């Protein structure tokens, strides 16, 4: 039950069973794997990793499936995954207790059990099985497949080398879209609000029914206008039993969200073909394809039309950024125009020196209005210019961008930039309602506190986490050249920042804000005051000041050694109102400012409140009075 603890950063010893060999995962030059207790009890899974494989004296490289082992390492988190980083300097050898152990059958779960991080956390790293689900997209981004039980969607991922090597060869290796399957695998936190199932090999996937497979869908013209007589949709369809000539295929299309119309597709030299009639400028067209074999198994593309369909808008005067970015209410967030060459107009929001070979442009200051442009060779306009740019829409690990720029012209020099859009952290965090909608838009969050200076545990990638309510948090990243983020360790737990401005971005499974330079981080004040050079020899919690208070107050405490500390505010009934800090701190004296807000960001009422410091060896409480 290690994942229930608060001992991130501590060195611990764990006894667990190796579930597979240490070289079976896609870990680069590392050893590691899923380990567990020999049961299916919740919280029984874990992950171990050795970063330096030149240190062979840990003997991790010699472990085998079924070994019962003592591991020694530091507890960390890596993009949401709790893991044990094994000690290598100096190396601490593993101790094998027994070998050849066998394991129970995988724990059978439902899609609802893993539909969110909250639901699935207790099964993280465990070997689980999901039954009777449909493959809805066998070629999703980053080598994944999307599955559905009709209500919830989930993801199969290629963390094991058996599948990863096929991904690297651009081979689609998951069952055909529409297939009914049982899938077993290890549950892994994606860092994006969901868990993925990672099969070890092909025996972990059992196909229950195989429908016709619909692939290679094309439309002509690619970007229809009102001039075109019709839009021709072509698809390649195959089946493992039924001859192609005996497959029945249908094109389903809808105009302006009206009910879908069904047309029978005809088989020609280029595949199955049907046309969508000519439409007027501005018409919104959706479509998908279904196919039946001789056993009446149905294959569809996309596989789950409640989550995704193909669509386009008739545009005689060209497309907007909103057209490219907006998923039109569907959950599948990759651009509907991925792979298409489009021409877009927008205001340059960054200097060419801010982020080399990268630009962010916006067409207004609202959702779905920004896009990231990347190419290593294209004309670099100035910040504030209104430009028209032509390029190919691509998905860069979940972040939509315009690449392979073929034309760029300045329409209006010095047009002027848009002001940042003020947003709430809760809306733009991972899983937030507007996180995707503000992608590549300049945004601003106000009155925030640093809640995690090093969200990647032992690794400092320049990012830190902030929150405005103590509950919802998002990351701040350092992609721009003039902003080093946390690389200089400037931001400490509890630090207050008046404003953070930057572009909403997505990378390495996290949404984050990317400030352009230090001017985008306004009003950074430290919450920590160390009383140097006087050494702290005792625990101490001081009376808050001022007291009584009517706006904000300061709470100071001292700890004589490095340990995990929590500072919490309670009301007169003992109900928790606000957590001011929670984490590991070095010996010293600290000052935290409380702004009179609860964990939800709501102002508190007049009355008596208690503040309590709690550590492993010390707990004490004091009283204070808030007056409006």
């Amino acid at each position: 039950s290690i994942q229930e603890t608060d001992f991130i950063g501590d060195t611990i010893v764990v006894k667990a069973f190796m579930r597979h060999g240490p070289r079976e995962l896609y870990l680069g030059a590392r050893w590691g794997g899923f380990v567990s207790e020999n049961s299916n009890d919740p919280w029984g899974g874990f992950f171990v990793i050795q970063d330096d494989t030149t240190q062979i004296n840990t003997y991790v490289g010699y472990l085998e499936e079924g070994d019962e082992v003592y591991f020694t390492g530091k507890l960390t988190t890596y993009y949401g995954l709790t893991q044990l980083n094994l000690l290598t300097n100096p190396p601490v050898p593993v101790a094998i207790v027994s070998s050849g152990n066998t394991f129970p059958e995988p724990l059978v779960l439902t899609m609802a059990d893993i539909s969110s991080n909250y639901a699935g956390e207790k099964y993280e790293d465990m070997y689980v099985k999901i039954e009777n689900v449909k493959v809805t997209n066998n070629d999703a981004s980053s080598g994944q497949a999307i599955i559905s039980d009709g209500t919830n969607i989930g993801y199969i991922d290629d963390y094991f080398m058996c599948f990863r090597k096929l991904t690297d060869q651009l081979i689609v290796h998951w069952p055909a879209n529409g297939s009914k399957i049982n899938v077993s695998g290890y549950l892994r936190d994606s860092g994006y609000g969901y868990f993925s199932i990672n099969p070890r090999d092909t025996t972990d996937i059992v196909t229950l029914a195989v429908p016709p497979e619909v692939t290679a869908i094309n439309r002509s013209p690619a970007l229809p206008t009102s001039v075109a007589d019709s839009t021709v949709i072509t698809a390649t369809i195959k089946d493992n039993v039924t001859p192609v000539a005996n497959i029945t295929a249908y094109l389903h299309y809808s105009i302006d969200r009206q009910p879908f119309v069904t047309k029978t597709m005809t088989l020609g030299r280029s595949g199955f073909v049907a046309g969508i009639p000519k439409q007027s400028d501005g018409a919104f067209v959706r479509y998908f394809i279904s196919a039946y074999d001789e056993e009446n198994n149905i294959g569809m593309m996309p596989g789950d039309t409640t989550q995704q369909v193909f669509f386009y808008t008739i545009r005689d005067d060209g497309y907007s950024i909103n057209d490219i970015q907006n998923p039109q209410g569907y959950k599948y967030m990759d651009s509907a125009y991925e792979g298409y060459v489009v021409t877009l107009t927008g205001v340059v929001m960054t200097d060419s020196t801010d982020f080399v070979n990268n630009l962010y442009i916006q067409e207004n200051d609202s959702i779905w209005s920004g896009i990231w442009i990347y190419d290593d060779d294209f004309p670099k306009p100035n910040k504030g210019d209104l430009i028209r740019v032509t390029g190919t829409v691509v998905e860069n690990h979940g972040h939509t961008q315009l690449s392979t720029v073929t034309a760029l012209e300045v329409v209006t020099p010095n047009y002027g930039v848009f002001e940042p859009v003020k947003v709430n952290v809760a809306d733009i965090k991972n899983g937030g309602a507007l996180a995707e909608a503000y992608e590549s838009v300049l945004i601003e969050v106000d009155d925030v506190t640093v809640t995690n200076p090093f969200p990647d545990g032992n690794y400092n990638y320049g990012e830190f986490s902030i929150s405005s309510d103590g509950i919802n948090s998002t990351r701040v990243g350092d992609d721009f050249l003039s902003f080093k983020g946390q690389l200089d360790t400037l931001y400490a737990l509890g630090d207050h920042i008046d404003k953070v401005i930057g572009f909403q971005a997505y990378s390495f499974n996290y949404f984050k804000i990317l400030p352009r330079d230090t001017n985008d981080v306004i009003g950074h004040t430290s919450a920590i005051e160390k009383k140097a050079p006087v050494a702290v020899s005792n625990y101490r919690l001081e009376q808050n000041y001022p007291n009584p208070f009517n706006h904000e107050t300061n709470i100071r405490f001292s700890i004589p050694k490095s340990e995990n500390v929590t500072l919490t505010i309670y009301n007169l009934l003992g109900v928790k109102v606000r957590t001011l800090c929670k984490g590991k701190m070095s010996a010293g004296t600290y000052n935290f400012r409380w702004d009179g807000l609860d964990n939800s960001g709501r102002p508190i009422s007049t009355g008596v409140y208690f503040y309590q410091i709690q550590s492993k060896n010390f707990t004490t409480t004091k009283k204070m009075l808030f007056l409006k």
Side-chain angles (χ1 to χ4, degrees), residues 189-210:
D189 192 333
S190 70
Y192 185 39
Y194 65 84
F195 284 89
S196 63
I197 302 170
N198 294 267
R200 183 175 176 181
D201 54 38
T202 55
T203 62
D204 274 340
I205 301 175
V206 177
T207 302
L208 307 177
V210 181

Side-chain angles (χ1 to χ4, degrees), residues 528-543:
I528 300 175
E529 299 175 5
K530 290 194 175 182
K531 289 185 174 180
V534 179
V536 175
S537 58
N538 297 301
Y539 291 98
R540 179 177 174 83
L541 177 64
E542 299 181 18
Q543 186 63 49

Side-chain angles (χ1 to χ4, degrees), residues 49 57 93 127 142 145 147 274 297 312 339 354 586:
I49 189 166
N57 290 332
Y127 186 49
S142 303
I147 55 177
N297 292 315
Y312 59 88
D354 287 340
S586 302

Side-chain angles (χ1 to χ4, degrees), residues 616-628:
K616 184 177 181 180
N617 301 304
F618 179 74
T619 299
T620 191
T621 305
K622 287 185 178 291
K623 183 169 63 175
M624 57 185 167
L625 178 62
F626 176 73
L627 298 174
K628 283 191 175 180

Side-chain angles (χ1 to χ4, degrees), residues 31 43-44 93 113 127 169 177 181 198 223 256 280 314 337 381 426 428 470 512 530 537 550 577 595:
W31 292 327
W43 307 105
D113 291 328
Y127 186 49
Q169 298 173 47
N177 289 326
I181 65 170
N198 294 267
L223 302 175
D256 293 331
S280 60
I314 302 293
Y337 295 88
I428 60 164
K512 58 199 67 173
K530 290 194 175 182
S537 58
N550 64 3
V577 174
D595 54 11

Side-chain angles (χ1 to χ4, degrees), residues 297-340:
N297 292 315
I298 179 174
M300 298 177 65
M301 177 58 81
D304 184 352
T305 56
T306 65
Q307 311 291 335
Q308 178 193 12
V309 294
F310 300 110
F311 62 80
Y312 59 88
T313 302
I314 302 293
R315 295 293 189 205
D316 290 344
D317 295 325
Y319 286 85
S320 67
I321 295 175
N322 185 294
D323 289 330
I324 305 306
Q325 290 280 35
N326 195 334
Q328 299 296 336
Y330 288 94
K331 291 184 178 180
Y332 187 71
M333 293 297 184
D334 286 359
S335 175
Y337 295 88
E338 183 180 4
Y340 290 95

Side-chain angles (χ1 to χ4, degrees), residues 1-21:
S1 300
I2 290 171
Q3 294 168 82
E4 294 179 290
T5 72
D6 294 322
F7 296 111
I8 300 298
D10 286 356
T11 298
I12 61 175
V13 178
V14 176
K15 185 174 77 169
F17 293 86
M18 283 292 294
R19 298 302 300 253
H20 55 81

